[in-house]
PDB file of all heavy atoms in Angstrom:
ATOM      1  N   ASP H  48      20.651  -5.121 180.977  1.00 97.00           N
ATOM      2  CA  ASP H  48      20.370  -5.739 182.285  1.00 97.00           C
ATOM      3  C   ASP H  48      21.657  -6.018 183.050  1.00 97.00           C
ATOM      4  O   ASP H  48      21.693  -5.945 184.285  1.00 97.00           O
ATOM      5  CB  ASP H  48      19.668  -7.105 182.089  1.00 97.00           C
ATOM      6  CG  ASP H  48      18.178  -6.925 181.940  1.00 97.00           C
ATOM      7  OD1 ASP H  48      17.695  -5.811 182.198  1.00 97.00           O
ATOM      8  OD2 ASP H  48      17.514  -7.902 181.547  1.00 97.00           O
ATOM      9  N   ALA H  49      22.719  -6.368 182.308  1.00 98.00           N
ATOM     10  CA  ALA H  49      23.964  -6.813 182.950  1.00 98.00           C
ATOM     11  C   ALA H  49      24.843  -5.664 183.436  1.00 98.00           C
ATOM     12  O   ALA H  49      25.566  -5.811 184.417  1.00 98.00           O
ATOM     13  CB  ALA H  49      24.767  -7.696 181.983  1.00 98.00           C
ATOM     14  N   VAL H  50      24.817  -4.538 182.730  1.00 98.00           N
ATOM     15  CA  VAL H  50      25.726  -3.423 183.069  1.00 98.00           C
ATOM     16  C   VAL H  50      24.919  -2.129 183.186  1.00 98.00           C
ATOM     17  O   VAL H  50      24.211  -1.752 182.254  1.00 98.00           O
ATOM     18  CB  VAL H  50      26.841  -3.261 181.997  1.00 98.00           C
ATOM     19  CG1 VAL H  50      27.713  -2.046 182.303  1.00 98.00           C
ATOM     20  CG2 VAL H  50      27.685  -4.519 181.892  1.00 98.00           C
ATOM     21  N   ASP H  51      25.076  -1.465 184.325  1.00 98.00           N
ATOM     22  CA  ASP H  51      24.357  -0.205 184.541  1.00 98.00           C
ATOM     23  C   ASP H  51      25.287   0.955 184.192  1.00 98.00           C
ATOM     24  O   ASP H  51      25.965   1.506 185.051  1.00 98.00           O
ATOM     25  CB  ASP H  51      23.899  -0.111 185.999  1.00 98.00           C
ATOM     26  CG  ASP H  51      23.046   1.127 186.234  1.00 98.00           C
ATOM     27  OD1 ASP H  51      22.562   1.720 185.245  1.00 98.00           O
ATOM     28  OD2 ASP H  51      22.894   1.510 187.411  1.00 98.00           O
ATOM     29  N   GLY H  52      25.342   1.271 182.891  1.00 98.00           N
ATOM     30  CA  GLY H  52      26.212   2.357 182.424  1.00 98.00           C
ATOM     31  C   GLY H  52      25.927   2.560 180.961  1.00 98.00           C
ATOM     32  O   GLY H  52      25.080   1.867 180.391  1.00 98.00           O
ATOM     33  N   PRO H  53      26.639   3.495 180.329  1.00 98.00           N
ATOM     34  CA  PRO H  53      26.385   3.762 178.913  1.00 98.00           C
ATOM     35  C   PRO H  53      26.621   2.527 178.038  1.00 98.00           C
ATOM     36  O   PRO H  53      27.645   1.857 178.173  1.00 98.00           O
ATOM     37  CB  PRO H  53      27.399   4.863 178.572  1.00 98.00           C
ATOM     38  CG  PRO H  53      27.839   5.427 179.879  1.00 98.00           C
ATOM     39  CD  PRO H  53      27.704   4.336 180.883  1.00 98.00           C
ATOM     40  N   ILE H  54      25.650   2.235 177.172  1.00 98.00           N
ATOM     41  CA  ILE H  54      25.732   1.078 176.269  1.00 98.00           C
ATOM     42  C   ILE H  54      25.627   1.612 174.840  1.00 98.00           C
ATOM     43  O   ILE H  54      24.556   2.097 174.438  1.00 98.00           O
ATOM     44  CB  ILE H  54      24.549   0.086 176.505  1.00 98.00           C
ATOM     45  CG1 ILE H  54      24.327  -0.241 177.993  1.00 98.00           C
ATOM     46  CG2 ILE H  54      24.717  -1.170 175.635  1.00 98.00           C
ATOM     47  CD1 ILE H  54      25.414  -1.027 178.665  1.00 98.00           C
ATOM     48  N   SER H  55      26.727   1.545 174.088  1.00 98.00           N
ATOM     49  CA  SER H  55      26.693   2.073 172.719  1.00 98.00           C
ATOM     50  C   SER H  55      26.074   1.080 171.752  1.00 98.00           C
ATOM     51  O   SER H  55      26.469  -0.090 171.715  1.00 98.00           O
ATOM     52  CB  SER H  55      28.109   2.405 172.227  1.00 98.00           C
ATOM     53  OG  SER H  55      28.584   3.582 172.821  1.00 98.00           O
ATOM     54  N   ALA H  56      25.102   1.572 170.971  1.00 98.00           N
ATOM     55  CA  ALA H  56      24.416   0.754 169.960  1.00 98.00           C
ATOM     56  C   ALA H  56      24.484   1.512 168.640  1.00 98.00           C
ATOM     57  O   ALA H  56      24.088   2.681 168.571  1.00 98.00           O
ATOM     58  CB  ALA H  56      22.965   0.537 170.382  1.00 98.00           C
ATOM     59  N   GLU H  57      24.992   0.837 167.604  1.00 98.00           N
ATOM     60  CA  GLU H  57      25.313   1.543 166.354  1.00 98.00           C
ATOM     61  C   GLU H  57      24.183   1.502 165.331  1.00 98.00           C
ATOM     62  O   GLU H  57      23.535   0.469 165.141  1.00 98.00           O
ATOM     63  CB  GLU H  57      26.585   0.913 165.767  1.00 98.00           C
ATOM     64  CG  GLU H  57      27.163   1.691 164.592  1.00 98.00           C
ATOM     65  CD  GLU H  57      28.646   1.385 164.384  1.00 98.00           C
ATOM     66  OE1 GLU H  57      29.312   0.911 165.334  1.00 98.00           O
ATOM     67  OE2 GLU H  57      29.125   1.618 163.271  1.00 98.00           O
ATOM     68  N   VAL H  58      23.972   2.632 164.658  1.00 98.00           N
ATOM     69  CA  VAL H  58      23.006   2.669 163.561  1.00 98.00           C
ATOM     70  C   VAL H  58      23.656   2.041 162.332  1.00 98.00           C
ATOM     71  O   VAL H  58      24.882   2.013 162.220  1.00 98.00           O
ATOM     72  CB  VAL H  58      22.561   4.116 163.235  1.00 98.00           C
ATOM     73  CG1 VAL H  58      21.907   4.779 164.440  1.00 98.00           C
ATOM     74  CG2 VAL H  58      23.738   4.973 162.737  1.00 98.00           C
ATOM     75  N   VAL H  59      22.823   1.552 161.407  1.00 98.00           N
ATOM     76  CA  VAL H  59      23.385   0.969 160.182  1.00 98.00           C
ATOM     77  C   VAL H  59      22.922   1.701 158.924  1.00 98.00           C
ATOM     78  O   VAL H  59      23.346   1.364 157.825  1.00 98.00           O
ATOM     79  CB  VAL H  59      23.085  -0.552 160.072  1.00 98.00           C
ATOM     80  CG1 VAL H  59      23.909  -1.330 161.078  1.00 98.00           C
ATOM     81  CG2 VAL H  59      21.604  -0.847 160.223  1.00 98.00           C
ATOM     82  N   SER H  60      22.057   2.706 159.082  1.00 98.00           N
ATOM     83  CA  SER H  60      21.678   3.523 157.927  1.00 98.00           C
ATOM     84  C   SER H  60      22.889   4.339 157.511  1.00 98.00           C
ATOM     85  O   SER H  60      23.755   4.628 158.348  1.00 98.00           O
ATOM     86  CB  SER H  60      20.557   4.497 158.292  1.00 98.00           C
ATOM     87  OG  SER H  60      19.453   3.813 158.766  1.00 98.00           O
ATOM     88  N   THR H  61      22.931   4.720 156.254  1.00 98.00           N
ATOM     89  CA  THR H  61      24.049   5.558 155.796  1.00 98.00           C
ATOM     90  C   THR H  61      23.589   6.980 155.502  1.00 98.00           C
ATOM     91  O   THR H  61      24.404   7.862 155.251  1.00 98.00           O
ATOM     92  CB  THR H  61      24.713   4.959 154.536  1.00 98.00           C
ATOM     93  OG1 THR H  61      23.696   4.730 153.560  1.00 98.00           O
ATOM     94  CG2 THR H  61      25.427   3.661 154.872  1.00 98.00           C
ATOM     95  N   GLU H  62      22.277   7.198 155.507  1.00 98.00           N
ATOM     96  CA  GLU H  62      21.768   8.550 155.282  1.00 98.00           C
ATOM     97  C   GLU H  62      21.246   9.140 156.589  1.00 98.00           C
ATOM     98  O   GLU H  62      20.709   8.421 157.438  1.00 98.00           O
ATOM     99  CB  GLU H  62      20.656   8.527 154.245  1.00 98.00           C
ATOM    100  CG  GLU H  62      21.254   8.292 152.866  1.00 98.00           C
ATOM    101  CD  GLU H  62      20.221   8.068 151.811  1.00 98.00           C
ATOM    102  OE1 GLU H  62      19.022   8.304 152.089  1.00 98.00           O
ATOM    103  OE2 GLU H  62      20.616   7.628 150.724  1.00 98.00           O
ATOM    104  N   ALA H  63      21.413  10.476 156.714  1.00 98.00           N
ATOM    105  CA  ALA H  63      21.108  11.132 157.985  1.00 98.00           C
ATOM    106  C   ALA H  63      19.695  10.826 158.488  1.00 98.00           C
ATOM    107  O   ALA H  63      19.514  10.499 159.670  1.00 98.00           O
ATOM    108  CB  ALA H  63      21.321  12.640 157.853  1.00 98.00           C
ATOM    109  N   ASP H  64      18.711  10.897 157.587  1.00 98.00           N
ATOM    110  CA  ASP H  64      17.325  10.687 158.037  1.00 98.00           C
ATOM    111  C   ASP H  64      17.148   9.294 158.636  1.00 98.00           C
ATOM    112  O   ASP H  64      16.488   9.123 159.669  1.00 98.00           O
ATOM    113  CB  ASP H  64      16.335  10.886 156.878  1.00 98.00           C
ATOM    114  CG  ASP H  64      16.219  12.360 156.508  1.00 98.00           C
ATOM    115  OD1 ASP H  64      16.665  13.206 157.314  1.00 98.00           O
ATOM    116  OD2 ASP H  64      15.714  12.657 155.409  1.00 98.00           O
ATOM    117  N   GLY H  65      17.746   8.307 157.973  1.00 98.00           N
ATOM    118  CA  GLY H  65      17.657   6.934 158.471  1.00 98.00           C
ATOM    119  C   GLY H  65      18.372   6.789 159.808  1.00 98.00           C
ATOM    120  O   GLY H  65      17.881   6.121 160.727  1.00 98.00           O
ATOM    121  N   MET H  66      19.542   7.433 159.932  1.00 98.00           N
ATOM    122  CA  MET H  66      20.295   7.356 161.200  1.00 98.00           C
ATOM    123  C   MET H  66      19.493   7.984 162.335  1.00 98.00           C
ATOM    124  O   MET H  66      19.461   7.460 163.453  1.00 98.00           O
ATOM    125  CB  MET H  66      21.630   8.117 161.087  1.00 98.00           C
ATOM    126  CG  MET H  66      22.641   7.498 160.161  1.00 98.00           C
ATOM    127  SD  MET H  66      24.164   8.483 160.225  1.00 98.00           S
ATOM    128  CE  MET H  66      24.966   7.928 158.743  1.00 98.00           C
ATOM    129  N   ILE H  67      18.834   9.095 162.027  1.00 98.00           N
ATOM    130  CA  ILE H  67      18.066   9.801 163.059  1.00 98.00           C
ATOM    131  C   ILE H  67      16.897   8.925 163.534  1.00 98.00           C
ATOM    132  O   ILE H  67      16.671   8.769 164.738  1.00 98.00           O
ATOM    133  CB  ILE H  67      17.565  11.166 162.513  1.00 98.00           C
ATOM    134  CG1 ILE H  67      18.767  12.091 162.267  1.00 98.00           C
ATOM    135  CG2 ILE H  67      16.565  11.815 163.456  1.00 98.00           C
ATOM    136  CD1 ILE H  67      18.472  13.306 161.381  1.00 98.00           C
ATOM    137  N   GLU H  68      16.214   8.322 162.553  1.00 98.00           N
ATOM    138  CA  GLU H  68      15.082   7.454 162.904  1.00 98.00           C
ATOM    139  C   GLU H  68      15.553   6.252 163.739  1.00 98.00           C
ATOM    140  O   GLU H  68      14.986   5.940 164.791  1.00 98.00           O
ATOM    141  CB  GLU H  68      14.451   6.972 161.594  1.00 98.00           C
ATOM    142  CG  GLU H  68      13.050   6.446 161.730  1.00 98.00           C
ATOM    143  CD  GLU H  68      12.557   5.934 160.374  1.00 98.00           C
ATOM    144  OE1 GLU H  68      12.585   6.700 159.385  1.00 98.00           O
ATOM    145  OE2 GLU H  68      12.188   4.742 160.327  1.00 98.00           O
ATOM    146  N   GLU H  69      16.645   5.627 163.260  1.00 98.00           N
ATOM    147  CA  GLU H  69      17.190   4.470 163.998  1.00 98.00           C
ATOM    148  C   GLU H  69      17.671   4.885 165.384  1.00 98.00           C
ATOM    149  O   GLU H  69      17.466   4.174 166.372  1.00 98.00           O
ATOM    150  CB  GLU H  69      18.414   3.935 163.258  1.00 98.00           C
ATOM    151  CG  GLU H  69      18.191   2.714 162.433  1.00 98.00           C
ATOM    152  CD  GLU H  69      19.527   2.209 161.910  1.00 98.00           C
ATOM    153  OE1 GLU H  69      20.211   1.474 162.637  1.00 98.00           O
ATOM    154  OE2 GLU H  69      19.892   2.581 160.784  1.00 98.00           O
ATOM    155  N   GLY H  70      18.346   6.029 165.420  1.00 98.00           N
ATOM    156  CA  GLY H  70      18.894   6.529 166.692  1.00 98.00           C
ATOM    157  C   GLY H  70      17.795   6.762 167.709  1.00 98.00           C
ATOM    158  O   GLY H  70      17.923   6.379 168.877  1.00 98.00           O
ATOM    159  N   ARG H  71      16.695   7.357 167.254  1.00 98.00           N
ATOM    160  CA  ARG H  71      15.562   7.610 168.178  1.00 98.00           C
ATOM    161  C   ARG H  71      15.001   6.283 168.689  1.00 98.00           C
ATOM    162  O   ARG H  71      14.699   6.144 169.873  1.00 98.00           O
ATOM    163  CB  ARG H  71      14.456   8.382 167.462  1.00 98.00           C
ATOM    164  CG  ARG H  71      14.795   9.842 167.243  1.00 98.00           C
ATOM    165  CD  ARG H  71      13.685  10.510 166.456  1.00 98.00           C
ATOM    166  NE  ARG H  71      14.004  11.911 166.174  1.00 98.00           N
ATOM    167  CZ  ARG H  71      13.630  12.553 165.067  1.00 98.00           C
ATOM    168  NH1 ARG H  71      12.923  11.929 164.145  1.00 98.00           N
ATOM    169  NH2 ARG H  71      13.962  13.817 164.893  1.00 98.00           N
ATOM    170  N   ARG H  72      14.905   5.298 167.767  1.00 98.00           N
ATOM    171  CA  ARG H  72      14.345   3.998 168.163  1.00 98.00           C
ATOM    172  C   ARG H  72      15.267   3.306 169.173  1.00 98.00           C
ATOM    173  O   ARG H  72      14.826   2.816 170.210  1.00 98.00           O
ATOM    174  CB  ARG H  72      14.153   3.117 166.924  1.00 98.00           C
ATOM    175  CG  ARG H  72      13.361   1.833 167.183  1.00 98.00           C
ATOM    176  CD  ARG H  72      13.179   1.014 165.919  1.00 98.00           C
ATOM    177  NE  ARG H  72      14.439   0.730 165.258  1.00 98.00           N
ATOM    178  CZ  ARG H  72      15.302  -0.212 165.627  1.00 98.00           C
ATOM    179  NH1 ARG H  72      15.025  -0.961 166.683  1.00 98.00           N
ATOM    180  NH2 ARG H  72      16.427  -0.403 164.972  1.00 98.00           N
ATOM    181  N   LEU H  73      16.574   3.314 168.882  1.00 98.00           N
ATOM    182  CA  LEU H  73      17.535   2.662 169.790  1.00 98.00           C
ATOM    183  C   LEU H  73      17.515   3.341 171.156  1.00 98.00           C
ATOM    184  O   LEU H  73      17.485   2.684 172.199  1.00 98.00           O
ATOM    185  CB  LEU H  73      18.950   2.702 169.198  1.00 98.00           C
ATOM    186  CG  LEU H  73      19.200   1.795 167.989  1.00 98.00           C
ATOM    187  CD1 LEU H  73      20.543   2.134 167.330  1.00 98.00           C
ATOM    188  CD2 LEU H  73      19.171   0.327 168.408  1.00 98.00           C
ATOM    189  N   ALA H  74      17.522   4.672 171.155  1.00 98.00           N
ATOM    190  CA  ALA H  74      17.552   5.412 172.426  1.00 98.00           C
ATOM    191  C   ALA H  74      16.289   5.146 173.242  1.00 98.00           C
ATOM    192  O   ALA H  74      16.326   5.201 174.477  1.00 98.00           O
ATOM    193  CB  ALA H  74      17.713   6.907 172.157  1.00 98.00           C
ATOM    194  N   GLY H  75      15.204   4.829 172.536  1.00 97.00           N
ATOM    195  CA  GLY H  75      13.939   4.560 173.230  1.00 97.00           C
ATOM    196  C   GLY H  75      13.917   3.192 173.908  1.00 97.00           C
ATOM    197  O   GLY H  75      13.051   2.926 174.750  1.00 97.00           O
ATOM    198  N   LEU H  76      14.881   2.328 173.560  1.00 97.00           N
ATOM    199  CA  LEU H  76      14.866   0.973 174.131  1.00 97.00           C
ATOM    200  C   LEU H  76      15.263   0.947 175.601  1.00 97.00           C
ATOM    201  O   LEU H  76      14.805   0.110 176.366  1.00 97.00           O
ATOM    202  CB  LEU H  76      15.813   0.041 173.347  1.00 97.00           C
ATOM    203  CG  LEU H  76      15.462  -0.241 171.881  1.00 97.00           C
ATOM    204  CD1 LEU H  76      16.552  -1.084 171.226  1.00 97.00           C
ATOM    205  CD2 LEU H  76      14.110  -0.959 171.795  1.00 97.00           C
ATOM    206  N   HIS H  77      16.200   1.845 175.975  1.00 97.00           N
ATOM    207  CA  HIS H  77      16.676   1.861 177.376  1.00 97.00           C
ATOM    208  C   HIS H  77      17.369   3.207 177.622  1.00 97.00           C
ATOM    209  O   HIS H  77      18.065   3.721 176.749  1.00 97.00           O
ATOM    210  CB  HIS H  77      17.670   0.708 177.597  1.00 97.00           C
ATOM    211  CG  HIS H  77      17.969   0.451 179.044  1.00 97.00           C
ATOM    212  ND1 HIS H  77      18.847   1.223 179.775  1.00 97.00           N
ATOM    213  CD2 HIS H  77      17.488  -0.492 179.896  1.00 97.00           C
ATOM    214  CE1 HIS H  77      18.901   0.754 181.009  1.00 97.00           C
ATOM    215  NE2 HIS H  77      18.084  -0.278 181.116  1.00 97.00           N
ATOM    216  N   PRO H  78      17.191   3.777 178.821  1.00 98.00           N
ATOM    217  CA  PRO H  78      17.807   5.098 179.095  1.00 98.00           C
ATOM    218  C   PRO H  78      19.336   5.101 179.017  1.00 98.00           C
ATOM    219  O   PRO H  78      19.936   6.162 178.852  1.00 98.00           O
ATOM    220  CB  PRO H  78      17.338   5.430 180.519  1.00 98.00           C
ATOM    221  CG  PRO H  78      16.505   4.295 180.993  1.00 98.00           C
ATOM    222  CD  PRO H  78      16.328   3.304 179.899  1.00 98.00           C
ATOM    223  N   ASN H  79      19.973   3.925 179.149  1.00 98.00           N
ATOM    224  CA  ASN H  79      21.446   3.911 179.095  1.00 98.00           C
ATOM    225  C   ASN H  79      22.020   3.808 177.680  1.00 98.00           C
ATOM    226  O   ASN H  79      23.233   3.833 177.506  1.00 98.00           O
ATOM    227  CB  ASN H  79      21.997   2.733 179.912  1.00 98.00           C
ATOM    228  CG  ASN H  79      21.906   2.994 181.411  1.00 98.00           C
ATOM    229  OD1 ASN H  79      21.676   4.124 181.833  1.00 98.00           O
ATOM    230  ND2 ASN H  79      22.069   1.954 182.214  1.00 98.00           N
ATOM    231  N   ILE H  80      21.140   3.687 176.683  1.00 98.00           N
ATOM    232  CA  ILE H  80      21.651   3.521 175.311  1.00 98.00           C
ATOM    233  C   ILE H  80      22.252   4.824 174.787  1.00 98.00           C
ATOM    234  O   ILE H  80      21.657   5.897 174.891  1.00 98.00           O
ATOM    235  CB  ILE H  80      20.526   3.063 174.348  1.00 98.00           C
ATOM    236  CG1 ILE H  80      19.949   1.718 174.776  1.00 98.00           C
ATOM    237  CG2 ILE H  80      21.028   3.046 172.891  1.00 98.00           C
ATOM    238  CD1 ILE H  80      20.580   0.494 174.224  1.00 98.00           C
ATOM    239  N   VAL H  81      23.461   4.688 174.234  1.00 98.00           N
ATOM    240  CA  VAL H  81      24.149   5.787 173.538  1.00 98.00           C
ATOM    241  C   VAL H  81      24.150   5.387 172.065  1.00 98.00           C
ATOM    242  O   VAL H  81      24.516   4.261 171.724  1.00 98.00           O
ATOM    243  CB  VAL H  81      25.607   5.918 174.038  1.00 98.00           C
ATOM    244  CG1 VAL H  81      26.374   6.940 173.216  1.00 98.00           C
ATOM    245  CG2 VAL H  81      25.632   6.290 175.523  1.00 98.00           C
ATOM    246  N   VAL H  82      23.720   6.295 171.197  1.00 98.00           N
ATOM    247  CA  VAL H  82      23.618   5.964 169.778  1.00 98.00           C
ATOM    248  C   VAL H  82      24.958   6.201 169.089  1.00 98.00           C
ATOM    249  O   VAL H  82      25.558   7.267 169.231  1.00 98.00           O
ATOM    250  CB  VAL H  82      22.515   6.813 169.108  1.00 98.00           C
ATOM    251  CG1 VAL H  82      22.475   6.554 167.600  1.00 98.00           C
ATOM    252  CG2 VAL H  82      21.162   6.524 169.743  1.00 98.00           C
ATOM    253  N   LYS H  83      25.413   5.172 168.372  1.00 98.00           N
ATOM    254  CA  LYS H  83      26.702   5.275 167.691  1.00 98.00           C
ATOM    255  C   LYS H  83      26.457   5.631 166.227  1.00 98.00           C
ATOM    256  O   LYS H  83      25.742   4.903 165.520  1.00 98.00           O
ATOM    257  CB  LYS H  83      27.398   3.913 167.770  1.00 98.00           C
ATOM    258  CG  LYS H  83      28.852   3.962 168.175  1.00 98.00           C
ATOM    259  CD  LYS H  83      29.328   2.536 168.414  1.00 98.00           C
ATOM    260  CE  LYS H  83      30.824   2.455 168.495  1.00 98.00           C
ATOM    261  NZ  LYS H  83      31.280   1.065 168.654  1.00 98.00           N
TER     262      LYS H  83
END
Side-chain angles (χ1 to χ4, degrees):
D48 275 349
V50 176
D51 185 16
I54 312 293
S55 285
E57 189 158 339
V58 300
V59 288
S60 302
T61 53
E62 287 172 11
D64 288 345
M66 292 183 197
I67 293 164
E68 199 183 305
E69 259 187 84
R71 286 177 182 147
R72 190 179 54 79
L73 289 169
L76 296 175
H77 193 281
N79 285 346
I80 299 270
V81 173
V82 176
K83 226 171 166 183

